Amino acid sequence: MVQPAHTASAWPEEPVPLALDTAPVPEYGSGSLADLLPTLAAAQGVPGCEHRIAELAPADRNCVFLIDGLGWEQIKAHPDEAPYLTSLLGSSRGGTGRPLTAGFPATTATSLASVGTGLPPGRHGLPGYTVRDPDAGELMNQLRWRPYTDPSAWQPYPTLFQLADAAGVHTAQVSSPTFRDTPLTKVALSGGTFHGRLTGEERMDLAAEQLAAGDRSLIYTYYSELDGSGHRFGVDSDAWRGQLMCVDRLVQRLAEQLPPRAALYVTADHGMVDIPFDERSRIDFDEDWELRAGVALLGGEGRARHVYAVPGAQADVLACWREVLGEQFWVASREEAVEAGWFGPRIDERVHGRIGDVVAAAHDDVVITASVNEPHESAMVGVHGSMTAAEQLVPLLEVRS
């Protein structure tokens, strides 16, 4: 059926689609997640790396603490729950506090690959939560790596950790034991040694130990629980605020243990927005004949959709999605999205077919769910993926010893 949001009474008689040139394209090359590790590694003498983020000063020992789901806008909105993080938004502690752009889409698998490889999505090849495998003709979940495909073929570039380790930099990842052997870890974050610890406190303490273990060190640590609370309860929930308070204490715990000549960088993979549970805000693809017409596969996630058309139907699907959603989404053809630089300034040939024939990125507080095929994702309160500031801007907070 057609959702009420699509009826003539709900829309102007002559809807005006969002112009694609109004989409705030990520700052690839100078201010995106993909630029952080190359900048740090370049200062440590790792061959092939370059200094991309101008204001970052060199340090012998670098630690990146990535907090899943911690957007720049969310920190600014919660100074009482995150007093230590808030103190780092400026430069009062001798470092820098600024936002980075996550990259498109603003989602975990894409962002972790950008962090670890130093490449934008169009190069590393993880351009969404789920994307079509052109060889198999089916959707591949790049977070859970289902169905399985050869990781080294899917993402063939070395990680910055591998390059740093080969250059003699002490390199380690400190994270949950769950992530030790996952394909995503292999293609995005492997290199040096992996240390699994269950609690955030254990990870902070071990990260500090690993940071001090080398004259030159590159350490990565990760915390996911904030993101889980946001998806389940929303970023306007007491549960999320409680997790933010925990995160704030963890950052301070690690910062207070920094060895000499060290820098700690706190960042994230994406921000998050809460979407109301009403028919105008949640458009159900599985119940909408207009949006389904001519579509073979629906990929991506609710606020950043890859739409794969039946052969020969690409133009019709693009026209329909623009007509139905164009006031609330930036709706582009694959060629338009690539030309606009949504996935980076360059797209590898192997990645081209993974991008949807149509790409839809949410502008308003709206999400395209799929209640039948994506019941878990469709029930989430907090979501992300698009290019709005709440989703796209992530912190780059620095503490130096």
Side-chain angles (χ1 to χ4, degrees), residues 181-207:
D181 298 315
T182 67
L184 181 57
T185 295
K186 177 179 176 61
V187 303
L189 302 168
S190 61
T193 56
F194 183 99
H195 301 270
R197 293 295 185 272
L198 290 173
T199 70
E201 290 78 8
E202 290 176 310
R203 290 173 210 159
M204 298 305 98
D205 296 345
L206 183 55

Side-chain angles (χ1 to χ4, degrees), residues 263-330:
L264 166 64
Y265 296 98
V266 180
T267 191
D269 52 350
H270 56 75
M272 191 172 287
V273 294
D274 293 350
I275 302 299
F277 283 84
D278 60 60
E279 289 184 324
R280 181 174 179 82
S281 302
R282 291 178 176 260
I283 302 168
D284 190 349
F285 173 86
D286 288 338
E287 297 293 333
D288 192 312
W289 66 267
E290 283 185 290
L291 295 182
R292 292 201 318 273
V295 176
L297 293 170
L298 179 70
E301 56 199 295
R303 290 182 60 80
R305 284 296 184 184
H306 288 279
V307 187
Y308 304 94
V310 172
Q314 292 91 337
D316 290 338
V317 170
L318 176 62
C320 178
W321 277 62
R322 273 210 176 117
E323 180 179 355
V324 172
L325 301 171
E327 287 186 284
Q328 295 176 294
F329 281 74
W330 292 287

Side-chain angles (χ1 to χ4, degrees), residues 56-392:
L56 294 191
D60 294 329
R61 296 163 168 154
N62 291 301
C63 180
V64 173
F65 182 11
L66 192 143
I67 301 161
D68 202 320
L70 181 65
W72 174 266
E73 297 290 318
Q74 286 81 59
I75 297 176
K76 289 172 60 180
H78 295 86
D80 294 338
E81 291 84 359
Y84 189 77
L85 289 168
T86 299
S87 76
L88 302 178
L89 292 177
S91 56
S92 60
R93 294 180 182 270
T96 181
R98 59 158 288 182
L100 294 176
T101 54
F104 182 76
T107 196
T108 299
T110 303
S111 290
L112 293 188
S114 294
V115 168
T117 64
L119 298 171
R123 300 287 311 283
H124 63 61
L126 280 71
Y129 174 59
T130 60
V131 299
R132 182 181 62 185
D133 180 346
D135 295 329
E138 59 184 344
L139 291 178
M140 193 273 211
N141 186 308
Q142 298 184 109
L143 188 63
R144 298 179 175 86
W145 220 260
R146 297 174 186 163
Y148 182 84
T149 189
D150 179 9
S152 60
W154 193 261
Q155 197 299 97
Y157 292 103
T159 72
L160 271 300
F161 299 107
Q162 291 168 339
L163 295 176
D165 183 57
V169 177
H170 177 68
T171 309
Q173 302 83 38
V174 183
S175 189
S176 167
T178 305
F179 304 125
R180 178 185 297 273
D181 298 315
T182 67
L184 181 57
T185 295
K186 177 179 176 61
V187 303
L189 302 168
S190 61
T193 56
F194 183 99
H195 301 270
R197 293 295 185 272
L198 290 173
T199 70
E201 290 78 8
E202 290 176 310
R203 290 173 210 159
M204 298 305 98
D205 296 345
L206 183 55
E209 291 178 15
Q210 289 296 311
L211 195 57
D215 292 331
R216 293 180 300 157
S217 301
L218 182 61
I219 310 301
Y220 169 90
T221 188
Y222 174 78
Y223 187 80
S224 66
E225 285 84 342
L226 183 74
D227 179 71
S229 291
H231 282 310
R232 185 175 180 184
F233 303 109
V235 295
D236 193 33
S237 67
D238 289 340
W240 188 88
R241 293 188 187 96
Q243 272 296 325
L244 180 60
M245 294 169 67
C246 177
V247 163
D248 194 67
R249 291 191 294 269
L250 291 176
V251 172
Q252 185 170 3
R253 183 186 185 108
L254 178 52
E256 291 175 348
Q257 299 183 70
L258 292 181
R261 311 189 322 277
L264 166 64
Y265 296 98
V266 180
T267 191
D269 52 350
H270 56 75
M272 191 172 287
V273 294
D274 293 350
I275 302 299
F277 283 84
D278 60 60
E279 289 184 324
R280 181 174 179 82
S281 302
R282 291 178 176 260
I283 302 168
D284 190 349
F285 173 86
D286 288 338
E287 297 293 333
D288 192 312
W289 66 267
E290 283 185 290
L291 295 182
R292 292 201 318 273
V295 176
L297 293 170
L298 179 70
E301 56 199 295
R303 290 182 60 80
R305 284 296 184 184
H306 288 279
V307 187
Y308 304 94
V310 172
Q314 292 91 337
D316 290 338
V317 170
L318 176 62
C320 178
W321 277 62
R322 273 210 176 117
E323 180 179 355
V324 172
L325 301 171
E327 287 186 284
Q328 295 176 294
F329 281 74
W330 292 287
V331 181
S333 68
R334 176 192 293 122
E335 292 72 20
E336 289 170 334
V338 168
E339 178 66 24
W342 289 11
F343 301 97
R346 173 182 162 190
I347 306 295
D348 282 9
E349 182 60 34
R350 76 182 205 291
V351 182
H352 191 266
R354 301 176 191 177
I355 298 170
D357 295 304
V358 174
V359 184
H363 174 274
D364 294 349
D365 289 340
V366 62
V367 65
I368 299 173
T369 63
S371 60
V372 176
N373 292 304
E374 300 174 357
H376 173 69
E377 292 85 348
S378 297
M380 290 178 175
V381 180
V383 291
H384 51 80
S386 191
M387 289 181 278
T388 68
E391 299 158 275
Q392 187 66 217

